[in-house]
Amino acid sequence: MYISRMPLNLARFDTKRLVGSPYRMHAAVESSFPPTCVRATEEGRVLWRIDYSETNHSAWLYVVSPSRPDFTHLIEQAGWPTRMEWETKDYSPLLQRLAVGQRWQFRLRANPVRKAASDRVTNSPRKPDEIIGKRLAFVTANQQMEWLVRRAPQNGFTVLQEECGPALRVIQRQKEHFERNGTAVTLATAVFEGQLEVTDAGALRHALCYGIGPAKGFGCGLLTLSPIRNS
């Protein structure tokens, strides 16, 4: 597995067009691999995420993949063409040294949803059979954080606790609308930052390489780790 990143030039029109459409960005990421490359293996699958920094108004594209990507076309379209630069690293050293009890800082962009068991909306114009069994988004930050805390154990970690609650926060929330093959798609996404403790190294490796939650093809599900900084 490989983990890669490249800067995005937000001053360019084509960049704004790409980042404004998860469907277009999905196609651009897919084009980073030749048609013969396998997109999913026993080790993992292609995942991507865009990270924004309000401090310096920058954006980075992160990609985890079974094959090494080539971002030449993306730099020409959404980067700085005179500086053909991106970073790709072997993900194996990090994956192999994960162990129970380790603590990490993490970031995750996800699409928190629930499968409707009943129609909770009173006076809804829709019939119950149009709702039951469908995926419905969690819309508040608290609901989204509760969703992640519940899913953490099956993904090999627990969210660390602070005096006031989980060491977790939602730093960005967004509703995205786009078309896929003529069908309207809506995503309610949340970017989580927090601290975790490893409870099952194998399950966490799987989460890092296969993602968490739905909409993985549209920039959701990619979990990344970094050392906890002492304040």
Side-chain angles (χ1 to χ4, degrees):
M1 294 294 293
Y2 297 91
I3 184 166
S4 309
R5 71 171 190 164
M6 67 159 281
L8 299 173
N9 186 349
L10 295 177
R12 301 184 63 179
F13 173 78
D14 283 344
T15 309
K16 295 176 182 178
R17 189 167 176 265
L18 266 183
V19 301
S21 169
Y23 186 58
R24 289 193 185 100
M25 183 57 79
H26 165 74
V29 171
E30 284 291 309
S31 297
S32 303
F33 306 94
T36 54
C37 279
V38 179
R39 268 54 174 180
T41 68
E42 292 182 357
E43 294 183 339
R45 56 165 289 167
V46 175
L47 300 166
W48 62 273
R49 185 182 79 215
I50 299 175
D51 281 2
Y52 297 94
S53 171
E54 294 182 358
T55 305
N56 55 12
H57 306 288
S58 64
W60 289 80
L61 170 66
Y62 284 83
V63 177
V64 164
S65 56
S67 302
R68 185 183 289 271
D70 185 332
F71 292 143
T72 302
H73 69 295
L74 262 174
I75 290 178
E76 292 172 346
Q77 185 176 0
W80 285 264
T82 59
R83 298 182 62 183
M84 288 288 184
E85 297 177 358
W86 68 84
E87 299 175 62
T88 296
K89 295 182 179 180
D90 184 356
Y91 213 11
S92 301
L94 173 65
L95 297 173
Q96 291 171 0
R97 70 185 178 94
L98 291 175
V100 173
Q102 290 177 344
R103 295 185 170 191
W104 296 89
Q105 189 82 20
F106 73 87
R107 178 175 285 194
L108 167 70
R109 183 173 185 267
N111 175 217
V113 297
R114 65 178 177 88
K115 184 174 285 189
S118 61
D119 183 0
R120 297 181 182 177
V121 181
T122 58
N123 301 321
S124 171
R126 296 185 295 180
K127 298 178 181 178
D129 59 1
E130 295 177 337
I131 298 173
I132 295 173
K134 301 294 176 62
R135 284 178 171 176
L136 302 180
F138 289 111
V139 293
T140 71
N142 282 338
Q143 288 175 337
Q144 291 168 337
M145 288 190 290
E146 289 169 0
W147 171 87
L148 181 58
V149 170
R150 286 195 303 271
R151 294 183 71 94
Q154 71 192 65
N155 288 290
F157 66 93
T158 58
V159 177
L160 294 181
Q161 295 292 311
E162 299 176 320
E163 289 184 6
C164 57
L168 177 67
R169 62 192 183 114
V170 175
I171 61 170
Q172 293 169 359
R173 301 171 64 232
Q174 188 175 2
K175 266 198 171 183
E176 299 180 80
H177 307 276
F178 58 96
E179 285 197 0
R180 180 190 184 191
N181 299 328
T183 302
V185 178
T186 300
L187 301 179
T189 64
V191 178
F192 301 95
E193 278 191 351
Q195 297 179 357
L196 63 79
E197 181 172 320
V198 183
T199 56
D200 182 330
L204 182 55
R205 285 188 202 99
H206 188 275
L208 290 168
C209 296
Y210 282 96
I212 295 176
K216 296 182 181 73
F218 300 119
C220 297
L222 175 54
L223 174 71
T224 51
L225 306 179
S226 60
I228 293 177
R229 302 181 185 89
N230 294 322
S231 56

